[in-house]
Amino acid sequence: MANWKDSRILELFGIELPIIQAPMAGATTPEMVIAASEAGGLGSLPGAMLSIEQMTQAMDQIRAATRNSINVNFFSHVDPEPDAAAQMKWRAALAPYYVELGLNPADPVPSSNRAPFDATYCGLVEKYRPEVVSFHFGLPNAELLGRVRATGAKIIASATTVAEARWLADHGVDAVIAMGYEAGGHRGNFLSDDMGTQVGTIALVPQIVDAVNVPVIAAGGIADPRGVNAAFALGASAVQVGTAYLLTPEAKVSEFHRKALLAGGDDKTALTNLFTGRPARGFMNRLMKEIGPLADIAPAFPTAGGALTPLRAITEKAGRSDFSNMWSGQSAALARVMTTRELTRYLAGL
Ligand SMILES: Cc1cc2nc3c(=O)[nH]c(=O)nc-3n(C[C@H](O)[C@H](O)[C@H](O)COP(=O)(O)O)c2cc1C
């Protein structure tokens, strides 16, 4: 695009449009990644909820369908030590729901399904050599990061404050994703857990641009070309858009999640830690209203999800969202139903 003032990200990633289809664990399909990259943007495959086998299959599919650059995304949290007391408290808080649905609150529950980046996932990066690798919740340890860098991948990661952006730049990232408070899904915060002081996109982007020497990718609340232009005016070199892609046919979302997205509304989402143990933005539902949306009772990330699994299994079958996360940013109402290809080009003003 001739009009973008800043082409650093285009050159860095080898892409035509400064539009990054955000990695969205659980919702992004290989088809979405392929379509975004083929449209000239950067498709991003999230690894956090995929086994190695699933990810291998997805990468085979993507590499066979497009020669364009892609991003592969991982969570870089450290799994917590088992904490039986915290789990017991959490299960006691959920026990009335178990009883209501005819379940035994003492039955064993599955463990959580969000895995951190490790040597096995790193092997996959070494095998498929994605052009870009992105991390959420900070960065993996120096050894793993060195292995990723040795593949030639450009490394990017989310920052929710200027301090996090500086930390990432000091640790050698090629670009910083400035993730504003409006964004859907998990906050990428890793230096501070204080949700009360998290920063909105319009304040965060220019402050990060001023603080670091690497290009900045704006994320959070951007869902149409106005948001893209605003991000560029603030000094961003590209945007990462998530929520708007949830309405594409390539997204994997439940029927009730899709309905909530279509209903839109600027004031329908909140930050909640109840589904995983870490704060994430999603549509309000029964569990969030009754126990949260933020509550100390939720055990450490990612272990909160296990005890919700039996509740979700029953209610989701009945088409109810009572115990299910429906991640969304604050700009769902700006999203229009269109294909991933159309959306990628529309965002770029084409
Ligand atoms: C459904 C959903 C799932 C997400 N999962 C991930 C993820 O797996 N990894 C990640 O780095 N970010 C994840 N995010 C955050 C997005 O990558 C992106 O930063 C965010 O969606 C941008 O804000 P927006 O939703 O307002 O466009 C997710 C967001 C959503 C809405």
Side-chain angles (χ1 to χ4, degrees):
M1 286 283 298
N3 287 345
W4 306 118
K5 280 174 250 147
D6 180 338
S7 60
R8 283 185 294 168
I9 287 287
L10 304 185
E11 283 147 27
L12 197 60
F13 298 168
I15 54 178
E16 184 201 336
L17 307 173
I19 311 294
I20 301 173
Q21 161 258 307
M24 296 184 285
T28 297
T29 60
E31 289 77 12
M32 183 188 287
V33 180
I34 293 163
S37 285
E38 279 290 291
L42 184 71
S44 308
L45 181 74
M49 290 173 76
L50 297 180
S51 65
I52 291 293
E53 294 72 32
Q54 289 169 320
M55 215 163 170
T56 302
Q57 218 176 357
M59 288 302 292
D60 281 339
Q61 187 183 339
I62 293 166
R63 284 303 205 198
T66 181
R67 299 171 90 85
N68 290 352
S69 296
I70 58 158
N71 169 32
V72 176
N73 166 265
F74 299 97
F75 285 176
S76 28
H77 62 283
V78 176
D79 270 330
E81 291 296 322
D83 185 342
Q87 287 296 332
M88 271 171 68
K89 275 192 212 154
W90 179 226
R91 299 202 54 181
L94 298 177
Y97 298 120
Y98 275 66
V99 173
E100 179 188 314
L101 294 172
L103 296 166
N104 180 353
D107 275 352
V109 293
S111 58
S112 172
N113 60 351
R114 283 171 174 85
F117 186 66
D118 62 7
T120 318
Y121 284 110
C122 197
L124 201 126
V125 168
E126 288 165 335
K127 180 175 171 199
Y128 289 96
R129 296 178 172 262
E131 289 71 18
V132 183
V133 174
S134 71
F135 292 104
H136 211 47
F137 313 140
L139 292 171
N141 67 43
E143 193 226 322
L144 285 175
L145 198 64
R147 282 176 57 184
V148 174
R149 188 169 297 290
T151 68
K154 302 298 177 214
I155 296 172
I156 62 177
S158 313
T160 65
T161 60
V162 168
E164 288 175 351
R166 283 211 177 97
W167 188 97
L168 292 172
D170 288 347
H171 285 75
V173 297
D174 295 289
V176 168
I177 304 160
M179 187 193 200
Y181 189 64
E182 298 92 320
H186 283 99
R187 306 288 311 137
N189 61 295
F190 59 95
L191 292 181
S192 165
D193 289 332
D194 184 352
M195 285 302 107
T197 55
Q198 288 276 287
V199 191
T201 304
I202 202 164
L204 185 65
V205 170
Q207 293 187 72
I208 290 185
V209 167
D210 289 348
V212 299
N213 285 325
V214 292
V216 174
I217 298 159
I222 301 165
D224 67 20
R226 291 173 298 180
V228 179
N229 288 334
F232 270 80
L234 296 171
S237 309
V239 297
Q240 175 167 290
V241 175
T243 300
Y245 280 95
L246 292 175
L247 276 180
T248 65
E250 290 87 358
K252 197 174 118 213
V253 290
S254 64
E255 202 40 46
F256 50 74
H257 193 173
R258 193 176 153 79
K259 270 193 196 141
L261 288 159
L262 285 169
D266 57 312
D267 58 354
K268 300 291 184 280
T269 69
L271 288 184
T272 180
N273 63 338
L274 298 179
F275 297 105
T276 62
R278 257 184 183 271
R281 184 174 294 285
F283 287 114
M284 282 298 271
N285 69 351
R286 180 177 172 197
L287 185 73
M288 288 160 73
K289 279 184 198 137
E290 292 179 358
I291 305 195
L294 291 166
D296 290 341
I297 189 88
F301 182 88
T303 66
L308 291 170
T309 308
L311 300 173
R312 291 176 59 147
I314 291 189
T315 45
E316 284 183 5
K317 235 184 239 162
R320 277 162 48 198
S321 63
D322 296 18
F323 303 103
S324 305
N325 56 286
M326 297 177 283
W327 299 151
S328 170
Q330 293 179 330
S331 291
L334 297 175
R336 299 194 196 161
V337 179
M338 52 176 106
T339 66
T340 291
R341 180 180 181 82
E342 288 165 349
L343 176 58
T344 305
R345 301 191 73 80
Y346 166 69
L347 287 166
L350 299 176

